[in-house]
Amino acid sequence: MNPSQFRVLRQKGTEPPGFSEGTAGELEYELKKKLGTKYPKTGVYTCVGCKTPLYYATSKFDSGCGWPAFYEGVPGAIKEVVDADGRRVEILCNNCGGHLGHVFKGEGFPTPTNERHCVNGICLKYEPST
Ligand SMILES: [Zn+2]
């Protein structure tokens, strides 16, 4: 884990909007460079803290929010905790407790769950299926 990843995963930081797509070496920038798309149809996103699979590639969608967005986690992989102010729901890796981002529900996105897991790209690593 590098210092930027540590700041998000372990200290609940947030990467700037557009960071993942606009920064060389980051998740979405590299996906576009290597695969030509931020939305590969196969594979899985794993936790950079512990390598646990967190999101299937098929659950990633375009939310336009500036962070990678998914409509559901791998079953059992994501832990949800209401923020101290009661307004937002934090999402964490259920295995290592790493902070991932927040989940928003009922926003009306045309996805099967009507949920948006807004995840810091820095927390995720893409693993193509073999
Ligand atoms: Zn983890």
Side-chain angles (χ1 to χ4, degrees):
M1 208 185 303
N2 67 36
S4 301
Q5 291 167 333
F6 186 86
R7 192 163 48 78
V8 173
L9 270 170
R10 299 290 181 246
Q11 301 179 323
K12 304 188 191 299
T14 301
E15 67 190 20
F19 175 80
S20 194
E21 186 168 3
T23 311
E26 295 301 329
L27 178 74
E28 294 198 315
Y29 182 97
E30 293 300 316
L31 283 174
K32 284 176 82 174
K33 191 168 115 184
K34 289 177 187 149
L35 305 174
T37 176
K38 292 192 289 179
Y39 307 102
K41 292 189 171 59
T42 59
V44 66
Y45 296 88
T46 60
C47 173
V48 297
C50 69
K51 300 187 169 68
T52 296
L54 298 178
Y55 294 100
Y56 294 118
T58 47
S59 69
K60 194 167 192 281
F61 72 101
D62 182 7
S63 70
C65 71
W67 291 273
F70 303 85
Y71 64 75
E72 67 183 355
V74 170
I78 309 294
K79 183 179 179 188
E80 299 186 5
V81 177
V82 178
D83 269 0
D85 64 10
R87 287 170 37 214
R88 294 193 302 174
V89 179
E90 180 187 1
I91 44 179
L92 307 107
C93 169
N94 205 13
N95 184 53
C96 74
H99 172 79
L100 303 172
H102 290 85
V103 61
F104 302 90
K105 305 183 184 189
E107 294 178 311
F109 284 104
T111 62
T113 60
N114 200 6
E115 290 188 8
R116 173 170 62 96
H117 290 237
C118 183
V119 183
N120 290 283
I122 207 166
C123 302
L124 301 175
K125 183 175 189 303
Y126 175 69
E127 302 280 1
S129 44
T130 50

